[in-house]
């Protein structure tokens, strides 16, 4: 079930000011997020008109296997002889797209390999989880980006590289493997999340992809509907409406703010006060302040705003383990214990 983010971007009829988290946290977390978006725009969104200009051009030709040729027992993707170097880009995230934006379309034959056929604007993911922005607003098709440079795209994963032979082994689950030759290689596949040995991560949500955001949105609404069932015990209702955010950085704080505003300003129209009174939002932060990478003025202001909004901030605490129904964390006291 999708959440219709009612009024999140609308103007309040009474005050004439924006509703939602942009009203409450716009001067802190929202400001940082907008600043990030502006910086990112310099690398990606500036030039959108240039991308639009190529929409009506003929796309790059499809790739074919080279007849009768193999390498290490697997087929080779045919390399068209154009006199230009073949540049293979692995990934479709910030690093890969930044490279694609700066390429001379007449200098390279570009092939992008990625299991995701879109670029995702990650700073807006917390807003997408509650419907402040819709999923399509944070995505850009990778084929549309590569079209500017007459590039080809292969929806597959790179599983091996032979640097001596200058070949990348690509794989599409259920579709087989093949080697893709290159002259130059750009690796922009991102990184794994640091879990710091925390057990039970399979019981919680991540917020790194558009699928993560969609899953969180659906889970929030599913919990509210379970609470409304007459057969749900009171203690289970309180558990279902306790939302814990692990990490007090920009993403964690922005998500907590968005979640609070969803609960306080949107869902109040559809769920009774008795249910809304059960809701708790908790941030568990390992440092002594949230947003500790920013100026202390911003950090302190955010904490004051959280306190006014009844968002609990637990500092100097590190999550140790997560179960299906609970979370265990350790707290560092002032005496160092």
């Amino acid at each position: 079930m999708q959440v219709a983010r009612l009024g999140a971007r609308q103007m309040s009829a009474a005050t004439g000011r924006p509703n939602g988290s942009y009203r409450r946290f716009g001067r802190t977390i929202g400001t940082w997020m907008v600043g990030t978006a502006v910086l990112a725009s310099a690398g990606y969104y500036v030039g959108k008109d240039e991308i639009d200009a190529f929409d009506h051009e003929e796309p790059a030709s499809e790739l074919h296997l080279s007849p009768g040729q193999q390498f290490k027992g697997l087929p080779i993707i045919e390399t068209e002889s154009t006199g230009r170097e073949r540049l293979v880009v692995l990934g479709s995230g910030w690093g890969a797209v930044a490279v694609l934006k700066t390429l001379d379309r007449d200098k390279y034959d570009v092939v992008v390999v990625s299991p995701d056929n879109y670029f995702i604007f990650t700073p807006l993911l917390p807003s997408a989880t509650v419907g402040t922005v819709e999923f399509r607003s944070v995505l850009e098709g990778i084929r549309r980006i590569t079209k500017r440079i007459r590039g080809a795209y292969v929806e597959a994963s790179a599983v091996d590289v032979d640097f001596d032979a200058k070949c990348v082994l690509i794989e599409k689950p259920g579709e087989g493997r093949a080697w893709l030759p290159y002259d130059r290689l750009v690796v922009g596949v991102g990184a794994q999340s640091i879990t710091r040995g925390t057990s039970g991560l399979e019981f919680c949500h991540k917020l790194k992809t558009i699928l993560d955001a969609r899953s969180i949105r659906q889970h929030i609404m599913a919990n509210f509907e379970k609470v409304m069932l007459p057969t749900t015990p009171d203690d289970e209702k309180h558990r279902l409406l306790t939302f814990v955010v692990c990490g007090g950085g920009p993403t964690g704080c922005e998500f907590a703010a968005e979640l609070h505003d969803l609960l306080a300003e949107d869902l109040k129209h559809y769920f009774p006060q008795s249910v809304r009174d059960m809701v708790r939002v908790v941030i568990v932060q390992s440092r002594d302040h949230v947003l500790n990478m920013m100026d202390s003025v911003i950090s302190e202001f955010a904490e004051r705003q959280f306190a006014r909004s009844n968002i609990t901030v637990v500092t100097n605490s590190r999550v140790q383990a997560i179960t299906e129904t609970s979370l265990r964390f350790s707290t560092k006291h002032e005496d160092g214990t």
Side-chain angles (χ1 to χ4, degrees):
M1 175 178 180
Q2 289 190 346
V3 180
R5 190 66 167 106
L6 305 175
R9 296 274 188 167
Q10 297 173 354
M11 303 297 290
S12 167
T15 64
R17 294 190 297 271
N19 286 326
S21 61
Y22 288 88
R23 179 183 67 192
R24 297 181 183 273
F25 294 96
R27 287 171 291 175
T28 53
I29 306 165
T31 299
W32 185 88
M33 296 295 287
V34 171
T36 301
V38 171
L39 291 176
S41 296
Y44 173 63
Y45 282 110
V46 170
K48 185 176 182 298
D49 291 340
E50 183 183 5
I51 295 177
D52 292 342
F54 294 97
D55 275 350
H56 301 292
E57 283 195 4
E58 183 68 20
S61 302
E62 60 180 316
L63 300 176
H64 299 277
L65 296 180
S66 184
Q69 294 190 26
Q70 287 192 338
F71 179 65
K72 295 183 178 180
L74 294 172
I76 300 174
I77 296 177
E78 191 173 37
T79 304
E80 184 180 357
S81 179
T82 63
R84 296 188 293 266
E85 288 186 307
R86 169 173 282 193
L87 175 67
V88 173
V89 179
L90 306 182
S92 57
W94 289 95
V97 169
V99 171
L100 296 174
K101 280 289 298 174
T102 60
L103 290 178
D104 184 346
R105 70 197 306 249
D106 297 319
K107 191 173 182 179
Y108 300 102
D109 290 327
V110 179
V111 179
V112 178
V113 179
S114 175
D116 300 319
N117 65 352
Y118 54 83
F119 166 80
I120 181 169
F121 195 78
T122 48
L124 291 180
L125 272 182
S127 299
T129 60
V130 298
T132 301
V133 298
E134 283 302 320
F135 299 122
R136 63 180 179 273
S137 300
V138 300
L139 301 176
E140 183 73 41
I142 198 66
R143 288 187 180 275
R144 191 159 184 256
I145 297 173
T146 58
K147 192 173 182 180
R148 183 190 69 85
I149 51 176
R150 303 190 189 95
Y153 167 71
V154 180
E155 189 179 72
S157 299
V159 295
D160 194 11
V161 180
D162 190 315
F163 292 101
D164 293 328
K166 288 190 173 183
C167 285
V168 177
L169 181 60
I170 64 174
E171 177 185 51
K172 176 75 171 180
E175 302 294 335
R177 294 181 168 190
W179 289 96
L180 176 63
Y182 66 85
D183 296 305
R184 295 179 182 271
L185 179 66
V186 174
V187 180
V189 295
Q192 296 287 338
S193 298
I194 299 176
T195 63
R196 303 187 185 281
T198 304
S199 61
L201 293 178
E202 65 272 17
F203 299 116
C204 64
H205 292 276
K206 300 177 292 181
L207 186 51
K208 196 172 182 179
T209 70
I210 203 69
L211 296 179
D212 297 336
R214 182 179 287 112
S215 177
I216 291 172
R217 183 189 292 199
Q218 293 171 341
H219 198 158
I220 291 171
M221 292 311 302
N223 280 13
F224 271 89
E225 296 301 343
K226 289 178 183 177
V227 167
M228 294 297 293
L229 293 174
T231 55
T232 305
D234 286 344
D235 57 345
E236 178 67 2
K237 291 181 180 181
H238 284 280
R239 186 189 70 81
L240 289 170
L241 296 183
T242 299
F243 302 93
V244 181
V245 181
C246 300
T251 300
C253 288
E254 177 71 6
F255 172 70
E258 293 278 9
L259 177 59
H260 170 269
D261 289 336
L262 170 70
L263 303 174
E265 299 181 12
D266 295 344
L267 297 188
K268 69 179 182 181
H269 300 294
Y270 308 104
F271 294 91
Q273 184 67 46
S274 59
V275 170
R276 303 201 304 272
D277 288 343
M278 299 180 193
V279 175
R280 291 184 62 206
V281 180
V282 182
I283 300 175
V284 180
Q285 165 69 334
S286 61
R287 303 295 184 91
D288 55 352
H289 291 286
V290 298
L291 301 175
N292 58 284
M293 71 292 296
M294 298 182 182
D295 189 275
S296 61
V297 174
I298 296 177
S299 176
E300 292 167 3
F301 181 80
E303 289 178 349
R304 290 196 299 270
Q305 291 293 96
F306 284 141
R308 293 192 190 102
S309 303
N310 293 321
I311 297 176
T312 304
V313 178
V314 182
T315 56
N316 291 318
S317 300
R318 189 177 296 278
V319 176
Q320 300 294 324
I322 302 168
T323 69
E324 192 172 2
T325 59
S326 65
L327 178 146
R328 188 180 79 244
F329 61 87
S330 61
T331 300
K332 182 179 179 181
H333 301 285
E334 294 183 0
D335 59 4
T337 61

